[in-house]
Amino acid sequence: MPRLFAGLEIPAEIGQSLSNLRGGLPGARWVDPENYHVTLRFIGDIDGMSANEIASMLFRVNRKPFEVKVQGLQSFGGKKPRAVVASVEPSRPLIELQAELERLMQRLGLDPEGRKFIPHVTLARLHDASSQDVADYLSVRGYFPSRTFWASRFVLFSSRASTGGGPYVVEDSYALSA
């Protein structure tokens, strides 16, 4: 059973910039740069027939390419930080694409996504990292010049069941070219 999600790939040059922020945080498990992405819709463990149906339905998405802006770092998890992420500006085209994917997945019978969409790139997953260590890391590394890229497609990724961070495989791609 593949574990699937739809997302945006991060260009290699931006991935390289983000990878330079790695290190200096106890309890961090850093994501490999080739696995950086923006998750648009987590789908989950799906049987082969459903995976084919999902892949086919995604071809119906008819959107224009748009600019994506990566800016600054933050942590998720509050007092028990669980991830360090690069923030992605929630532009209108990005929000609308995510909402359309959500509607399509619900139309196929999947449960609604349980969390609010906060666009980001996960850089590290945290295990027993103190909130003070995370705050110290963010105060040193949290600012970096904004980077932008043009999203001309989104992809359907698969991953093997693991503790996260990849490896991810592009199963199919969907052009943004309305």
Side-chain angles (χ1 to χ4, degrees):
M1 241 191 242
R3 174 170 290 175
L4 299 176
F5 62 96
L8 298 175
E9 299 160 295
I10 301 299
E13 65 277 4
I14 293 178
Q16 184 60 46
S17 291
L18 294 174
S19 74
N20 292 335
L21 301 170
R22 296 162 53 115
L25 180 55
R29 192 174 68 248
W30 298 96
V31 175
D32 291 332
E34 61 270 16
N35 291 312
Y36 291 161
H37 64 276
V38 178
T39 299
L40 297 170
R41 177 52 156 92
F42 180 73
I43 298 166
D45 296 320
I46 300 291
D47 64 70
M49 196 164 86
S50 297
N52 289 337
E53 191 176 356
I54 288 166
S56 295
M57 183 168 265
L58 292 176
F59 280 109
R60 296 182 188 172
V61 174
N62 187 21
R63 300 258 167 203
K64 293 180 180 175
F66 58 92
E67 192 173 78
V68 178
K69 184 176 184 181
V70 181
Q71 57 181 21
L73 300 183
Q74 64 177 319
S75 65
F76 285 171
K79 292 183 182 189
K80 289 196 165 216
R82 64 182 191 281
V84 170
V85 303
S87 302
V88 173
E89 184 176 275
S91 67
R92 183 179 185 134
L94 177 61
I95 299 298
E96 289 175 351
L97 173 59
Q98 188 279 331
E100 182 172 357
L101 296 177
E102 178 65 33
R103 285 189 300 275
L104 289 172
M105 294 306 106
Q106 288 184 38
R107 196 174 302 153
L108 286 171
L110 274 70
D111 290 334
E113 180 65 50
R115 292 184 262 190
K116 180 181 188 269
F117 178 58
I118 300 172
H120 65 279
V121 179
T122 301
L123 303 181
R125 288 176 175 75
L126 305 177
H127 181 69
D128 292 332
S130 76
S131 55
Q132 185 61 55
D133 284 344
V134 173
D136 290 346
Y137 169 84
L138 291 174
S139 72
V140 172
R141 305 255 175 122
Y143 173 79
F144 62 91
S146 296
R147 300 291 306 266
T148 59
F149 67 94
W150 201 246
S152 58
R153 72 180 197 168
F154 69 96
V155 301
L156 183 62
F157 287 105
S158 67
S159 68
R160 59 181 168 73
S162 70
T163 54
Y168 303 125
V169 175
V170 174
E171 296 294 338
D172 220 330
S173 65
Y174 307 89
L176 298 171
S177 60

